[in-house]
Amino acid sequence: MARGVERFGYDRDAQAVGIVHFGIGAFHRAHQAWYTDRAMDAGDRDWTILGVSLRSGVVAAQMNPQDGLYTVTGRSAQGENSRLVGAVRGVVTAPRASGETVDTLAAPTTRIVSFTITEKGYCRAPDGSLDPNLAGEESVFRFLGDGLRRRRDAGLPGVTLLSCDNLADNGRQLASLMRQYLDRHDRQLIGWFDAECSSPNTMVDRIVPATTEMDRAAIAERIGVEDQAAVVTEPFSQWVIEDRFAGPRPRWEAAGAALVDDVAPYESAKLRLLNGAHSALAYLGLERGHSYVHEAISDPLLRPVIEHLMREEAAPTIAPAPGQDLSRYIDALLQRFANPALQHRLIQIAMDGSQKIPQRWLATLADNQREGRPSPSILRALGAWLRHVRGDNEARWGEVADPRAAELKSLWHKAGADGIAAAVLGSDGLLASAWQPSRQEQLPL
């Protein structure tokens, strides 16, 4: 065994695959797979995971030579600790292993299909409906459709579809998009899907930066074993799940997950406070020349902006659940952001902003508009985002990574500084359908 590494105690080779997970990046390995590993350590059986990468073969190349084993290292200013995780049995790249993916989705032992495919993986049009041009042969919906059809035809029960992405009402959105896909491709399956499958809402919370070669080298030196699939994260972790499953599930609560009737208050707090602040730190921090979250939150010109965004703009729009203390959550977030050991890159958070800011900022802005409350921090962050997608940061931080980057740059050329806010955020703007503004805001551009 590697030096100083906690490890699981179950017989891994005896466990059947019970979960198919799409989007097996660092976050899933530090969160859902970590919870599943601990649930099996507590006595659950037959819940190992087949990871599916929809495009890149990088994770498969990292994990399969290690038989799916990897370490999760929690890192803080007080030190670090590592755990060997055995929940992942292997990784396939869907376009090159379509048959194996569908076979496993249709296997009798598979009861849960989970997702961390980021906002853009849901193939949505700007109004939130399914974009049929995006939901093609290599989309998650095609694999799901084929797998569910096989289950129905074999007389097998349905599965739980468990979205773990940062979408408001993520489970309901996933189910709606799946129905829209089936309506176009297999209408006869819709009734079975509605009767046999479920899609609970979830909220996931753990900061997981992209693992660097420096991280891998440091872990190898400390534990005495090279781990190409190593994940570095913070000690904090939270998972809130709507208790609405189509069949059996792991006892994730044994690892600290919360099963609740209504996820919405926790989801709103995560999206509007943590994610909203993260995105603001990203765009404002990159402009200030910062590379990492802990640098940006320590900037005396930025920290008051972020605190105001959370305490005065976002928190008043959230109706907390009983016992949910938003002020305490904000205090904890500020401490987590300041963790100097985590090295969370702002440019990573800045990716795909057009897919993220509707639920992170625009929903809060709309609520405050209706109540007549100002949102100066969000408006300042929106200005920084618009400058970012114009290309103002490219010389230092590289090309803008956003599926709508070309559209946004084109709007800048057409509208100019005087018209860009209306062109993007106005009642007829590019993102209007995502938030339905009640008035035009003046942005600091």
Side-chain angles (χ1 to χ4, degrees):
M1 192 191 326
R3 298 191 302 263
V5 178
E6 178 187 357
R7 64 157 296 156
F8 55 89
Y10 53 89
D11 181 355
R12 181 171 179 262
D13 291 337
Q15 308 309 311
V17 170
I19 301 171
V20 175
H21 182 83
F22 286 90
I24 184 165
F27 182 81
H28 170 71
R29 302 201 302 275
H31 198 271
Q32 299 92 32
W34 179 83
Y35 276 92
T36 303
D37 177 75
R38 294 178 66 198
M40 287 194 290
D41 226 11
D44 277 13
R45 293 295 177 261
D46 297 330
W47 286 113
T48 57
I49 300 165
L50 175 71
V52 181
S53 293
L54 286 169
R55 291 176 179 83
S56 171
V58 171
V59 178
Q62 291 172 337
M63 296 195 70
N64 289 337
Q66 301 179 180
D67 197 27
L69 295 167
Y70 66 98
T71 56
V72 174
T73 297
R75 185 178 285 174
S76 70
Q78 286 70 49
E80 57 185 51
N81 60 82
S82 298
R83 177 180 174 88
L84 181 68
V85 174
V88 179
R89 292 301 297 268
V91 179
V92 299
T93 305
R96 296 197 293 271
S98 177
E100 184 176 352
T101 301
V102 175
D103 286 348
T104 311
L105 287 169
T109 58
T110 297
R111 305 310 300 268
I112 293 173
V113 184
S114 54
F115 310 84
T116 48
I117 53 178
T118 75
E119 292 88 344
K120 66 182 178 183
Y122 290 84
C123 305
R124 296 175 301 161
D127 65 357
S129 65
L130 187 73
D131 185 336
N133 296 315
L134 297 176
E137 283 297 299
E138 294 187 2
S139 76
V140 70
F141 297 102
R142 197 274 285 182
F143 296 105
L144 284 173
D146 289 351
L148 294 177
R149 187 180 308 110
R150 288 259 303 272
R151 296 187 73 89
R152 180 201 62 187
D153 292 348
L156 292 171
V159 293
T160 299
L161 305 182
L162 198 65
S163 170
C164 299
D165 284 297
N166 289 319
L167 299 174
D169 212 26
N170 55 10
R172 304 301 194 281
Q173 284 207 48
L174 173 57
S176 175
L177 293 166
M178 190 70 229
R179 288 190 194 96
Q180 292 173 56
Y181 178 86
L182 294 176
D183 188 55
R184 293 180 62 89
H185 296 276
D186 190 349
R187 290 184 179 179
Q188 300 301 315
L189 193 55
I190 295 176
W192 182 90
F193 173 74
D194 287 341
E196 293 287 334
C197 299
S198 70
S199 190
N201 290 326
T202 72
M203 186 282 284
V204 297
D205 188 357
R206 195 169 205 182
I207 296 171
V208 186
T211 309
T212 67
E213 288 302 323
M214 188 177 299
D215 291 327
R216 294 186 185 95
I219 291 168
E221 182 176 356
R222 184 170 60 81
I223 70 175
V225 176
E226 288 191 4
D227 179 4
Q228 292 302 309
V231 178
V232 175
T233 186
E234 63 175 335
F236 178 90
S237 181
Q238 186 179 23
W239 195 5
V240 182
I241 312 166
E242 182 184 10
D243 195 1
R244 189 171 59 87
F245 286 76
R249 63 169 179 82
R251 290 182 300 118
W252 285 312
E253 61 268 36
L259 279 294
V260 300
D261 293 329
D262 185 9
V263 172
Y266 304 94
E267 175 187 82
S268 294
K270 163 74 183 315
L271 288 169
R272 299 188 182 199
L273 296 173
L274 188 155
N275 296 131
H278 253 173
S279 287
L281 282 168
Y283 302 115
L284 294 167
L286 291 171
E287 282 191 328
R288 295 275 296 164
H290 300 304
S291 297
Y292 301 106
V293 169
H294 70 274
E295 295 172 342
I297 198 62
S298 298
D299 186 326
L301 295 181
L302 294 187
R303 185 181 176 105
V305 176
I306 302 306
E307 284 209 56
H308 191 275
L309 187 156
M310 291 196 288
R311 296 190 192 279
E312 307 300 329
E313 298 176 32
T317 71
I318 300 166
Q324 185 182 14
D325 188 332
L326 295 181
S327 179
R328 186 175 178 182
Y329 182 54
I330 293 167
D331 291 342
L333 286 175
L334 290 168
Q335 291 182 351
R336 292 164 64 192
F337 293 163
N339 182 353
L342 212 51
Q343 301 288 295
H344 198 182
R345 298 174 67 234
L346 296 173
I347 197 65
Q348 177 189 355
I349 300 168
M351 294 173 61
D352 303 332
S354 67
Q355 309 295 297
K356 297 175 179 177
I357 67 168
Q359 53 266 26
R360 297 185 179 197
W361 294 342
L362 300 187
T364 301
L365 183 59
D367 284 350
N368 283 334
Q369 281 189 346
R370 284 190 288 271
E371 297 299 323
R373 293 189 295 258
S375 303
S377 294
I378 290 177
L379 296 180
R380 183 171 170 181
L382 280 166
W385 170 67
L386 286 171
R387 291 189 293 274
H388 178 78
V389 297
R390 181 172 61 184
D392 289 19
N393 297 326
E394 286 186 340
R396 180 161 188 173
W397 304 112
E399 187 176 352
V400 174
D402 192 296
R404 309 191 77 174
E407 288 179 87
L408 289 160
K409 286 187 178 182
S410 177
L411 279 179
W412 262 107
H413 289 305
K414 293 176 182 176
D418 292 336
I420 189 63
V424 177
L425 302 168
S427 57
D428 296 316
L430 188 69
L431 298 182
S433 61
W435 74 296
Q436 299 177 336
S438 61
R439 66 171 183 267
Q440 179 64 50
E441 297 280 6
Q442 296 297 313
L443 301 188
L445 294 172

